[in-house]
PDB file of all heavy atoms in Angstrom:
ATOM      1  N   PRO A 298     125.133  74.436 108.175  1.00 95.00           N
ATOM      2  CA  PRO A 298     125.651  73.085 108.097  1.00 95.00           C
ATOM      3  C   PRO A 298     124.665  72.033 107.533  1.00 95.00           C
ATOM      4  O   PRO A 298     125.051  71.202 106.765  1.00 95.00           O
ATOM      5  CB  PRO A 298     125.942  72.728 109.638  1.00 95.00           C
ATOM      6  CG  PRO A 298     126.141  74.033 110.214  1.00 95.00           C
ATOM      7  CD  PRO A 298     125.221  75.094 109.451  1.00 95.00           C
ATOM      8  N   GLU A 299     123.264  72.177 107.794  1.00 95.00           N
ATOM      9  CA  GLU A 299     122.460  71.294 107.396  1.00 95.00           C
ATOM     10  C   GLU A 299     122.213  71.364 105.810  1.00 95.00           C
ATOM     11  O   GLU A 299     121.573  70.431 105.084  1.00 95.00           O
ATOM     12  CB  GLU A 299     121.148  71.312 108.039  1.00 95.00           C
ATOM     13  CG  GLU A 299     120.307  72.604 107.960  1.00 95.00           C
ATOM     14  CD  GLU A 299     120.785  73.684 108.932  1.00 95.00           C
ATOM     15  OE1 GLU A 299     121.803  73.527 109.641  1.00 95.00           O
ATOM     16  OE2 GLU A 299     120.057  74.744 109.028  1.00 95.00           O
ATOM     17  N   ALA A 300     122.576  72.460 105.225  1.00 96.00           N
ATOM     18  CA  ALA A 300     122.417  72.646 103.823  1.00 96.00           C
ATOM     19  C   ALA A 300     123.721  72.448 103.008  1.00 96.00           C
ATOM     20  O   ALA A 300     123.673  72.518 101.701  1.00 96.00           O
ATOM     21  CB  ALA A 300     121.856  74.060 103.527  1.00 96.00           C
ATOM     22  N   ARG A 301     124.804  72.188 103.724  1.00 93.00           N
ATOM     23  CA  ARG A 301     126.090  72.019 103.116  1.00 93.00           C
ATOM     24  C   ARG A 301     126.020  70.816 102.158  1.00 93.00           C
ATOM     25  O   ARG A 301     125.341  69.822 102.532  1.00 93.00           O
ATOM     26  CB  ARG A 301     127.196  72.005 104.151  1.00 93.00           C
ATOM     27  CG  ARG A 301     127.412  73.349 104.608  1.00 93.00           C
ATOM     28  CD  ARG A 301     128.534  73.446 105.628  1.00 93.00           C
ATOM     29  NE  ARG A 301     128.560  74.736 106.358  1.00 93.00           N
ATOM     30  CZ  ARG A 301     128.954  74.901 107.505  1.00 93.00           C
ATOM     31  NH1 ARG A 301     129.638  73.889 108.240  1.00 93.00           N
ATOM     32  NH2 ARG A 301     128.871  76.009 108.137  1.00 93.00           N
ATOM     33  N   GLY A 302     126.860  70.816 101.074  1.00 92.00           N
ATOM     34  CA  GLY A 302     126.797  69.729 100.096  1.00 92.00           C
ATOM     35  C   GLY A 302     125.630  69.811  99.132  1.00 92.00           C
ATOM     36  O   GLY A 302     125.577  68.987  98.249  1.00 92.00           O
ATOM     37  N   GLY A 303     124.754  70.800  99.267  1.00 93.00           N
ATOM     38  CA  GLY A 303     123.646  70.948  98.339  1.00 93.00           C
ATOM     39  C   GLY A 303     123.947  71.915  97.154  1.00 93.00           C
ATOM     40  O   GLY A 303     123.021  72.117  96.407  1.00 93.00           O
ATOM     41  N   GLY A 304     125.174  72.312  97.053  1.00 95.00           N
ATOM     42  CA  GLY A 304     125.433  73.152  95.964  1.00 95.00           C
ATOM     43  C   GLY A 304     125.349  74.660  96.155  1.00 95.00           C
ATOM     44  O   GLY A 304     125.608  75.490  95.296  1.00 95.00           O
ATOM     45  N   HIS A 305     124.938  74.988  97.377  1.00 96.00           N
ATOM     46  CA  HIS A 305     124.648  76.489  97.553  1.00 96.00           C
ATOM     47  C   HIS A 305     125.938  77.284  97.633  1.00 96.00           C
ATOM     48  O   HIS A 305     125.910  78.440  97.116  1.00 96.00           O
ATOM     49  CB  HIS A 305     123.811  76.571  98.840  1.00 96.00           C
ATOM     50  CG  HIS A 305     122.617  75.759  99.018  1.00 96.00           C
ATOM     51  ND1 HIS A 305     121.448  76.069  98.248  1.00 96.00           N
ATOM     52  CD2 HIS A 305     122.289  74.707  99.708  1.00 96.00           C
ATOM     53  CE1 HIS A 305     120.586  75.268  98.499  1.00 96.00           C
ATOM     54  NE2 HIS A 305     121.003  74.352  99.403  1.00 96.00           N
ATOM     55  N   GLY A 306     126.910  76.773  98.269  1.00 95.00           N
ATOM     56  CA  GLY A 306     128.192  77.606  98.264  1.00 95.00           C
ATOM     57  C   GLY A 306     128.777  77.745  96.822  1.00 95.00           C
ATOM     58  O   GLY A 306     129.221  78.859  96.566  1.00 95.00           O
ATOM     59  N   LYS A 307     128.830  76.687  96.141  1.00 96.00           N
ATOM     60  CA  LYS A 307     129.234  76.805  94.710  1.00 96.00           C
ATOM     61  C   LYS A 307     128.440  77.667  93.957  1.00 96.00           C
ATOM     62  O   LYS A 307     128.859  78.544  93.185  1.00 96.00           O
ATOM     63  CB  LYS A 307     129.285  75.448  94.029  1.00 96.00           C
ATOM     64  CG  LYS A 307     129.935  75.439  92.659  1.00 96.00           C
ATOM     65  CD  LYS A 307     130.025  74.098  92.137  1.00 96.00           C
ATOM     66  CE  LYS A 307     130.676  74.027  90.813  1.00 96.00           C
ATOM     67  NZ  LYS A 307     130.840  72.834  90.122  1.00 96.00           N
ATOM     68  N   ALA A 308     127.172  77.769  94.147  1.00 97.00           N
ATOM     69  CA  ALA A 308     126.236  78.604  93.448  1.00 97.00           C
ATOM     70  C   ALA A 308     126.462  80.038  93.815  1.00 97.00           C
ATOM     71  O   ALA A 308     126.445  80.924  92.877  1.00 97.00           O
ATOM     72  CB  ALA A 308     124.688  78.233  93.631  1.00 97.00           C
ATOM     73  N   LEU A 309     126.678  80.349  95.054  1.00 98.00           N
ATOM     74  CA  LEU A 309     126.963  81.722  95.526  1.00 98.00           C
ATOM     75  C   LEU A 309     128.348  82.142  94.835  1.00 98.00           C
ATOM     76  O   LEU A 309     128.406  83.181  94.226  1.00 98.00           O
ATOM     77  CB  LEU A 309     127.129  81.713  96.939  1.00 98.00           C
ATOM     78  CG  LEU A 309     125.925  81.689  97.731  1.00 98.00           C
ATOM     79  CD1 LEU A 309     126.144  81.436  99.311  1.00 98.00           C
ATOM     80  CD2 LEU A 309     125.179  83.184  97.597  1.00 98.00           C
ATOM     81  N   LEU A 310     129.434  81.243  94.858  1.00 97.00           N
ATOM     82  CA  LEU A 310     130.639  81.738  94.290  1.00 97.00           C
ATOM     83  C   LEU A 310     130.498  81.793  92.713  1.00 97.00           C
ATOM     84  O   LEU A 310     131.081  82.662  92.140  1.00 97.00           O
ATOM     85  CB  LEU A 310     131.689  80.709  94.537  1.00 97.00           C
ATOM     86  CG  LEU A 310     132.225  80.689  95.952  1.00 97.00           C
ATOM     87  CD1 LEU A 310     133.136  79.587  96.298  1.00 97.00           C
ATOM     88  CD2 LEU A 310     133.159  82.018  96.160  1.00 97.00           C
ATOM     89  N   ALA A 311     129.709  80.981  92.123  1.00 96.00           N
ATOM     90  CA  ALA A 311     129.436  81.105  90.648  1.00 96.00           C
ATOM     91  C   ALA A 311     128.759  82.455  90.260  1.00 96.00           C
ATOM     92  O   ALA A 311     129.055  82.946  89.310  1.00 96.00           O
ATOM     93  CB  ALA A 311     128.645  79.952  90.152  1.00 96.00           C
ATOM     94  N   THR A 312     127.819  82.800  91.166  1.00 97.00           N
ATOM     95  CA  THR A 312     127.140  84.124  91.069  1.00 97.00           C
ATOM     96  C   THR A 312     128.245  85.218  91.030  1.00 97.00           C
ATOM     97  O   THR A 312     128.160  86.159  90.179  1.00 97.00           O
ATOM     98  CB  THR A 312     126.131  84.239  92.015  1.00 97.00           C
ATOM     99  OG1 THR A 312     125.020  83.255  91.894  1.00 97.00           O
ATOM    100  CG2 THR A 312     125.458  85.690  91.849  1.00 97.00           C
ATOM    101  N   LEU A 313     129.025  85.261  92.061  1.00 97.00           N
ATOM    102  CA  LEU A 313     130.061  86.296  92.098  1.00 97.00           C
ATOM    103  C   LEU A 313     131.093  86.262  91.000  1.00 97.00           C
ATOM    104  O   LEU A 313     131.462  87.383  90.434  1.00 97.00           O
ATOM    105  CB  LEU A 313     130.806  86.183  93.505  1.00 97.00           C
ATOM    106  CG  LEU A 313     129.889  86.257  94.767  1.00 97.00           C
ATOM    107  CD1 LEU A 313     130.719  86.194  96.067  1.00 97.00           C
ATOM    108  CD2 LEU A 313     129.032  87.440  94.743  1.00 97.00           C
ATOM    109  N   ALA A 314     131.484  84.978  90.636  1.00 97.00           N
ATOM    110  CA  ALA A 314     132.256  84.918  89.410  1.00 97.00           C
ATOM    111  C   ALA A 314     131.613  85.511  88.190  1.00 97.00           C
ATOM    112  O   ALA A 314     132.308  86.208  87.364  1.00 97.00           O
ATOM    113  CB  ALA A 314     132.665  83.502  89.221  1.00 97.00           C
ATOM    114  N   GLN A 315     130.414  85.295  88.054  1.00 97.00           N
ATOM    115  CA  GLN A 315     129.612  85.811  86.828  1.00 97.00           C
ATOM    116  C   GLN A 315     129.579  87.363  86.859  1.00 97.00           C
ATOM    117  O   GLN A 315     129.687  88.002  85.869  1.00 97.00           O
ATOM    118  CB  GLN A 315     128.250  85.314  86.832  1.00 97.00           C
ATOM    119  CG  GLN A 315     127.513  85.593  85.517  1.00 97.00           C
ATOM    120  CD  GLN A 315     128.184  85.013  84.275  1.00 97.00           C
ATOM    121  OE1 GLN A 315     128.363  83.865  84.166  1.00 97.00           O
ATOM    122  NE2 GLN A 315     128.522  85.844  83.326  1.00 97.00           N
ATOM    123  N   ILE A 316     129.379  87.829  88.130  1.00 98.00           N
ATOM    124  CA  ILE A 316     129.510  89.344  88.268  1.00 98.00           C
ATOM    125  C   ILE A 316     130.818  89.858  87.807  1.00 98.00           C
ATOM    126  O   ILE A 316     130.966  90.787  86.968  1.00 98.00           O
ATOM    127  CB  ILE A 316     129.215  89.749  89.700  1.00 98.00           C
ATOM    128  CG1 ILE A 316     127.742  89.567  90.017  1.00 98.00           C
ATOM    129  CG2 ILE A 316     129.492  91.257  89.900  1.00 98.00           C
ATOM    130  CD1 ILE A 316     127.387  89.645  91.500  1.00 98.00           C
TER     131      ILE A 316
END
Side-chain angles (χ1 to χ4, degrees):
E299 62 273 14
R301 292 181 190 156
H305 304 292
K307 184 175 182 179
L309 284 163
L310 285 170
T312 298
L313 301 185
Q315 188 63 55
I316 289 169

